[in-house]
């Protein structure tokens, strides 16, 4: 029996999203509030256009990470200590840097993809507009983001607001998502790359994975996993000029479980390096993990 097909992307005209009634805040406030409800360990605080980013102890500005130097050293020291505390051993410097980038980029991508997924609004969040704070044990991450412009569709009730950029349709809005994430991550990847000992393609493969897996996880929490998969597949369909500089695509596929039930999986475009600490426990989406093992693990957790 062949495995069922992965759900196909939804037709643009039938995209099942609904904007909430107008509320206090910015055009993306409702999306960040919903994010906090389903992911209570990730809190997003919006700042006004003229507000400074937090500079209290524990906060690090994304622009400082992108500049490298002491700020990046201090940020990665937290990750090195977290590995030592969790696994009882030291990780290689490139592995620590990979973990640190993942923890930053996963949250940063959600700043863009969550408003798009929930509201069909795409904020621009340049690297100078974001700061991050992690508590000592890593159980809570706070992100501060300075508001700016956003892209939206012509029928958006906020299309006439200052800072709104109206685009003609869904594909144009997807292009805005790709551009907004790339604008933010490009200088960050350039700073982390030498420490991770990875080239541009591997770094953008990691960016691809952060976009897709963050959106996939959010969709699961919201009870909209199939829509999230379909949206991600349209956003990043694979290598090509339209999706550069991202490397690879959403790459979803479906396996058949022991009872013939569909089990969604994907093949990561990059390696998170977790195997260097626990070789016997690779990620379920890792290319190192064979399909039979994926089926066993996915079926056990479903």
């Amino acid at each position: 029996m062949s495995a069922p097909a992965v759900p196909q992307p939804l037709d643009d005209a039938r995209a099942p999203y609904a904007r909430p009634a107008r509320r206090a805040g910015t055009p993306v406030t409702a999306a960040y509030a919903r994010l906090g409800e389903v992911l209570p360990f990730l809190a997003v605080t919006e700042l006004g256009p003229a507000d400074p980013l937090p500079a209290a102890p524990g906060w690090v500005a994304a622009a400082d990470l992108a500049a490298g130097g002491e700020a990046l050293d201090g940020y990665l020291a937290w990750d090195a200590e977290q590995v030592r505390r969790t696994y009882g051993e030291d990780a290689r410097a490139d592995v620590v840097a990979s973990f640190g980038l993942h923890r930053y980029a996963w949250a940063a991508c959600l700043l863009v993809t969550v408003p798009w997924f929930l509201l069909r609004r795409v904020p621009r969040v340049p690297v100078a507009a974001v700061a991050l704070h992690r508590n000592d044990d890593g159980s809570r991450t706070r992100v501060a983001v300075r508001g700016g412009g956003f892209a939206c569709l012509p029928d958006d009730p906020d299309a006439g607001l200052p800072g709104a950029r109206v685009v003609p349709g869904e594909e144009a809005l997807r292009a805005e998502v790709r551009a907004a994430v790339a604008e933010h991550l490009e200088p960050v990847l350039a700073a982390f790359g030498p420490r991770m000992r990875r080239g541009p393609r591997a770094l953008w493969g990691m960016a691809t994975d952060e976009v897709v897996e963050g959106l996939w996880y959010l969709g699961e929490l919201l009870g909209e996993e199939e829509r999230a998969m379909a949206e991600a597949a349209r956003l990043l369909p694979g290598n090509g000029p339209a999706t550069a500089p991202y490397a690879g695509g959403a790459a979803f596929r479906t396996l058949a479980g022991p009872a013939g039930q569909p089990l969604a999986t994907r093949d990561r475009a990059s390696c998170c390096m977790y195997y260097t600490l626990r070789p016997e426990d690779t990620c379920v989406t890792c290319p190192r993990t064979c399909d039979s093992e994926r089926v066993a693990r996915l079926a056990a957790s479903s």
Side-chain angles (χ1 to χ4, degrees):
M1 177 179 177
S2 60
V6 170
Q8 294 301 303
L10 299 168
D11 185 89
D12 284 352
R14 297 186 293 108
Y17 67 91
R19 301 184 186 94
R22 187 180 296 276
R23 54 177 288 177
T26 76
V28 297
T29 296
Y32 293 153
R34 187 72 179 113
L35 174 64
E37 291 171 2
V38 297
L39 283 178
F41 61 82
L42 178 60
V44 177
T45 298
E46 292 183 271
L47 305 173
D51 292 336
L53 294 174
W59 284 92
V60 60
D64 291 338
L65 292 180
E70 292 183 3
L72 186 53
D73 290 341
Y75 176 86
L76 293 178
W78 186 99
D79 292 279
E81 176 55 33
Q82 192 273 342
V83 168
R84 191 177 301 114
R85 184 170 58 246
T86 302
Y87 301 103
E89 60 183 284
D90 291 326
R92 298 188 328 231
D94 61 314
V95 174
V96 169
S98 295
F99 286 6
L101 177 60
H102 161 67
R103 290 173 177 135
Y104 178 81
W106 194 84
C109 289
L110 290 174
L111 294 176
V112 177
T113 59
V114 171
W116 168 66
F117 184 70
L118 294 179
L119 306 176
R120 282 309 194 264
R121 295 170 183 167
V122 181
R124 282 297 174 108
V125 286
V127 74
V130 175
L132 179 136
H133 182 283
R134 303 181 290 187
N135 65 354
D136 290 343
D137 63 3
S139 61
R140 184 170 174 81
T141 296
R142 289 183 285 164
V143 180
V145 56
R146 187 186 296 121
F150 68 100
C152 63
L153 297 171
D155 65 346
D156 193 303
D158 283 352
L161 290 181
R165 300 185 308 281
V166 178
V167 299
E170 291 283 355
E171 179 51 38
L173 201 63
R174 285 189 283 270
E176 290 284 339
V177 175
R178 294 189 291 264
V181 172
E183 176 188 34
H184 184 92
L185 287 186
E186 185 173 18
V188 177
L189 296 179
F192 275 84
R195 297 175 186 245
M196 294 167 58
R197 295 188 292 184
R198 298 197 202 180
R201 180 171 178 79
L203 292 169
W204 284 106
M206 192 167 183
T208 301
D209 291 332
E210 304 301 350
V211 170
V212 174
E213 298 201 351
L215 187 59
W216 186 16
Y217 184 59
L218 177 76
E220 184 178 4
L221 293 177
L222 292 169
E224 296 190 75
E225 182 181 12
E226 289 192 6
R227 182 167 82 88
M229 292 167 63
E231 296 278 20
R234 274 193 145 172
L235 179 67
L236 293 171
N239 291 325
T243 58
Y246 300 95
F252 286 114
R253 54 196 182 92
T254 302
L255 303 173
Q261 73 272 33
L263 300 171
T265 189
R266 68 178 296 265
D267 297 311
R268 288 179 56 89
S270 69
C271 181
C272 70
M273 308 298 283
Y274 180 68
Y275 79 94
T276 62
L277 293 170
R278 293 293 183 269
E280 72 288 352
D281 189 21
T282 57
C283 301
V284 73
T285 55
C286 179
R288 296 170 176 264
T289 306
C290 67
D291 282 357
S292 60
E293 183 177 349
R294 293 187 191 208
V295 167
R297 290 166 61 180
L298 290 170
S301 63
S302 62

